[in-house]
Amino acid sequence: MDVGGSDSCRISASITHADDDETEEILLDALRALVEHADSVERRPPVRLPEPSALELEQAMLPRAAFFAPVEHVPAERAAGRIAAETISPYPPGVPAVTPGEVITDAVLDYLRSGAEQGVLIPDAADSSVHTVRVVTRADQG
């Protein structure tokens, strides 16, 4: 049974035609054991989700222009104020938090980095740990 879309906050099990009563019972037994031992599971700090308005970034360049512009990879600590040259979509929910051409903010970086530290999947970023970010070079920020 595939649970590949699970993270530190969610369990996403895919039951398919290849599963049967036995595989479903294994899943249920594992979920019961998780509930039974939940108090012993180490608590991790929460993902630092900003206010929704903080996720509305300024569009400084057209997405296509930013994506195909000369780029560099900078440490996340130096990415605020720079124009993104990549899409960064934490999963779940899978909605882009950053798209090419947007001006990256500290609030969004904090959200993405705290999520990556907690096991949130960031499949489309050049660096899924968000230690570095792909940005438009300063000379091409237009």
Side-chain angles (χ1 to χ4, degrees), residues 6 10 12 15 17 25 32 39 41 43-44 48-49 54 64-65 82 84 90 93 96 98 110 114 117 121 129 134 136:
S6 302
R10 295 161 196 80
S12 176
I15 299 174
H17 66 283
E25 192 60 39
R32 287 183 193 108
D39 290 339
V41 174
R43 302 270 187 228
R44 301 180 85 177
R48 295 182 293 276
L49 183 63
R64 180 179 175 80
R82 300 293 300 272
V98 175
D110 186 49
S114 70
E117 290 168 5
L121 302 174
S129 70
R134 187 173 181 262
V136 174

Side-chain angles (χ1 to χ4, degrees), residues 46-92:
V47 173
R48 295 182 293 276
L49 183 63
E51 292 295 320
S53 62
L55 295 172
E56 296 174 13
L57 302 181
E58 172 192 352
Q59 190 74 43
M61 289 179 76
L62 292 174
R64 180 179 175 80
F67 185 83
F68 289 111
V71 301
E72 59 184 321
H73 295 262
V74 299
E77 298 80 22
R78 296 195 343 241
R82 300 293 300 272
I83 298 173
E86 66 178 328
T87 300
I88 306 176
S89 306
Y91 179 82

Side-chain angles (χ1 to χ4, degrees), residues 1-4 12-28:
M1 191 168 299
D2 177 24
V3 292
S12 176
S14 298
I15 299 174
T16 71
H17 66 283
D19 290 296
D20 56 21
D21 290 345
E22 183 180 347
T23 59
E24 291 171 6
E25 192 60 39
I26 291 169
L27 173 64
L28 291 174

Side-chain angles (χ1 to χ4, degrees), residues 11 13 24-37:
I11 297 171
E24 291 171 6
E25 192 60 39
I26 291 169
L27 173 64
L28 291 174
D29 288 344
L31 292 173
R32 287 183 193 108
L34 180 61
V35 170
E36 184 179 323
H37 298 93

